[in-house]
C-alpha cells in the first residue's frame, strides 16, 4: 500500500474546556501512569482511559485555564521514545 493512499484524519481540537483528550499513548499505559504524570499540576482532578483503548485517555482539571496550561506544557511530551503524546480539548 502506498503512503499517499492512506488518509490520515487529524484529531480535531474543540473549544477550550476543563477536560483534555490524550492520544498516541503507548499500549502499556495504565491507571497508575497518567496520575503520576498529571499530579504535578495542582488543578488535576482525575483521569480515565478510553475503555478498550490503552492509547487514548481523558484527563480532567479544575477549570479551562488550568487545562490549557497543562495542554501547552505537555503537548508532545514523550512518554516513551516512540510515543509523543498529542493533547486536544475534549468534545463537549
Amino acid at each position: 500500500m502506498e503512503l499517499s493512499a492512506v488518509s490520515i484524519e487529524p484529531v480535531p481540537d474543540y473549544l477550550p474546556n476543563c477536560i483534555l483528550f490524550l492520544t498516541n499513548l503507548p499500549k502499556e499505559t495504565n491507571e497508575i501512569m497518567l496520575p503520576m504524570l498529571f499530579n504535578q499540576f495542582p488543578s488535576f482532578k482525575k483521569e480515565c482511559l478510553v475503555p478498550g483503548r490503552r492509547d487514548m485517555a481523558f484527563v480532567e482539571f479544575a477549570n479551562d485555564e488550568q487545562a490549557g496550561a497543562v495542554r501547552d506544557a505537555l503537548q508532545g511530551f514523550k512518554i516513551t521514545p516512540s510515543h509523543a503524546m498529542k493533547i486536544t480539548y475534549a468534545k463537549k
Side-chain angles (χ1 to χ4, degrees), residues 24-88:
N24 201 39
L25 300 174
K27 64 181 177 181
E28 300 84 15
T29 302
N30 60 42
E31 293 82 6
I32 297 169
M33 292 171 67
L34 292 177
M36 287 177 59
L37 178 61
F38 290 100
N39 270 331
Q40 65 183 307
F41 300 95
S43 60
F44 172 70
K45 291 178 81 173
K46 64 181 178 177
E47 93 297 328
C48 177
L49 289 168
V50 174
R53 298 287 307 259
R54 293 281 182 195
D55 61 336
M56 296 179 185
F58 293 95
V59 181
E60 185 176 354
F61 294 89
N63 57 51
D64 301 2
E65 293 79 21
Q66 294 291 331
V70 172
R71 177 181 175 259
D72 294 344
L74 292 179
Q75 188 67 265
F77 178 81
K78 288 191 173 190
I79 294 179
T80 67
S82 60
H83 289 90
M85 184 169 46
K86 292 180 177 71
I87 307 173
T88 60

